[in-house]
Amino acid sequence: MNEYMKETNEALLHTYNQFPVVLERGEGAYLYDTEGKKYLDFAAGYAVSSLGYADKELNDALKEQIDKIFHTSNLYYNTACGKAAEDLKRITGMDRIFFTNSGGEAVEGTLKAARKYAYKKGTGRYEFIAMKESFHGRSFGAVSVTGHDAYREPFEPLVPGVSFAQYNDLDSVKALVTDKTCAIILEPLQGEGGINAATEEFMKGIRKLCDEEGILMICDEVQCGMGRTGAMFAWQAYDIKPDIMSMAKAIGSGIPVGAFAMTEEVAKYSLEPGDHGTTYGGNPLACMAVSKTIEIFEKKHLVEHVQKVGAYLTKKLEELVEEYDTVKAVKGKGLMQGIQVTKPISEITGAALKEGLLIIGAGSDVIRFVPPLIIELEQVDEMIRILKKAL
């Protein structure tokens, strides 16, 4: 066994079934292991590495920030946090930002904000409606609104007051609404649940229902946000706006950072000093990563690039449906797509790894494609050539 793998297995808690590869460095859309083998990355660290690897502009900005200061308490202002918050406000259209360290923490923040809003409004509301097949994180609050029994059952009893509706079925949501419902939480494009995109009718229906019933709408954009679907944030393509949203992963291009955002109305009746906090969230290094990532996104017109490359990826995946009996459907949009397969996912991902392609599953029967957003058409072709060998 590789010495790195042996050392890791002896030191870490076994919560991941890891592939037998030790990654050492990256460049563009490629990663290299300790033996020098090259891999085309269509997983991007679970949709995190939006700018790929070794982006010089990002790396230089982070090195410069490290030489200045990379942590200080939130009891004091720092020179990076305010700018990063303003940048996120601009691209989201939201009014207030809270920085976290991860997507799970961002989701926790959305849930606390919704509960506090109901508390300050004196409505007596505290219940959440979430979606079946959803995934919102591993902490207690986040897993409580995650619609997978396998993630929930070992840790029950969880946070009370959560019910689950059928995704893309507005009537099933309406059937769960009570005078205790404070918020509805959903992913505009489900990731772990199998790359399931919300319909426009569903998203607009949820928004209308929330407005009519005095319920908050929470969009979880941790995986589907930051340009990945061909809009800066997936909900923006539906001509609606949530009351609260979570984001993480790609907003820092690999530096651990998340955030949740809300409208001014929610902020006015929501979290205040003493209600919520974080030691590391909003530190100068993470915030520099956010601002520089947004700057590079806009300079390189990456959202438009995703629209072009995503359309080409869809076309190539649809050709696989016609060519292979084991490929049943194409799902998703932009550079968050998947193919539904009848062959075991582990067989496909394992075979692809041997050929130099990193891909991951989603749900029980979907292969997920979430590459760095900088990929070009020829790298889609390269991925397809290798994938065919694995199918």
Side-chain angles (χ1 to χ4, degrees), residues 105-268:
E105 289 170 80
V107 170
E108 291 286 334
T110 69
L111 301 178
K112 287 183 69 176
R115 282 265 181 100
K116 184 63 187 291
Y117 180 84
Y119 176 81
K120 289 192 75 173
K121 283 282 191 175
T123 65
R125 296 173 180 265
Y126 66 93
E127 295 178 348
F128 295 96
I129 298 175
M131 301 298 142
K132 295 178 181 178
E133 306 305 321
S134 62
F135 181 84
H136 296 290
R138 304 284 189 170
S139 54
F140 260 85
V143 81
S144 295
V145 293
T146 289
H148 283 274
D149 289 343
Y151 293 138
R152 294 166 50 82
E153 287 178 353
F155 308 104
E156 292 177 339
L158 296 170
V159 175
V162 180
S163 55
F164 293 93
Q166 191 66 44
Y167 195 68
N168 278 333
D169 184 342
L170 188 59
D171 287 338
S172 79
V173 179
K174 291 179 177 179
L176 296 175
V177 172
T178 74
D179 61 358
K180 298 298 183 184
T181 305
C182 74
I184 298 172
I185 182 170
L186 77 160
E187 302 153 273
L189 200 170
Q190 290 184 332
E192 302 303 313
I195 313 298
N196 306 311
T199 64
E200 183 171 353
E201 178 185 12
F202 188 62
M203 291 292 285
K204 288 184 173 179
I206 294 291
R207 179 68 273 174
K208 184 172 184 290
L209 176 64
C210 288
D211 291 339
E212 292 173 346
E213 298 289 340
I215 298 168
L216 298 179
M217 181 180 184
I218 304 173
C219 283
D220 181 354
E221 295 262 353
V222 167
Q223 185 168 164
C224 62
M226 202 60 190
R228 185 152 292 282
T229 63
M232 190 62 85
F233 292 92
W235 62 261
Q236 293 170 335
Y238 295 95
D239 195 28
I240 59 99
K241 183 179 180 179
D243 301 292
I244 312 174
M245 65 173 288
S246 58
M247 62 195 115
K249 292 186 184 291
I251 69 170
S253 301
I255 296 298
V257 59
F260 61 95
M262 62 188 71
T263 63
E264 194 66 51
E265 161 67 14
V266 176
K268 183 179 178 182

Side-chain angles (χ1 to χ4, degrees), residues 76-90:
Y76 314 103
Y77 295 96
N78 68 66
T79 57
C81 186
K83 183 180 186 310
E86 286 295 331
D87 289 338
L88 283 181
K89 282 176 56 179
R90 176 168 50 79

Side-chain angles (χ1 to χ4, degrees), residues 3 32 36 42 49 52 60 62 87 91 95 133 150 206 222 229 231 259 273 287 314 331 387:
E3 189 61 33
Y32 298 82
F42 261 66
S49 302
D60 286 348
L62 293 174
D87 289 338
I91 66 173
D95 299 312
E133 306 305 321
I206 294 291
V222 167
T229 63
C287 288
T314 300
K331 310 178 75 177
L387 181 62

Side-chain angles (χ1 to χ4, degrees), residues 44 47-55 58-59 62 226 248-257 286 289-290 292-294 296-297 302:
V48 169
S49 302
S50 49
L51 298 177
Y53 304 97
D55 182 285
L58 176 64
N59 286 3
L62 293 174
M226 202 60 190
K249 292 186 184 291
I251 69 170
S253 301
I255 296 298
V257 59
V290 171
K292 184 56 66 171
T293 294
I294 293 171
I296 295 170
F297 259 67
L302 279 184

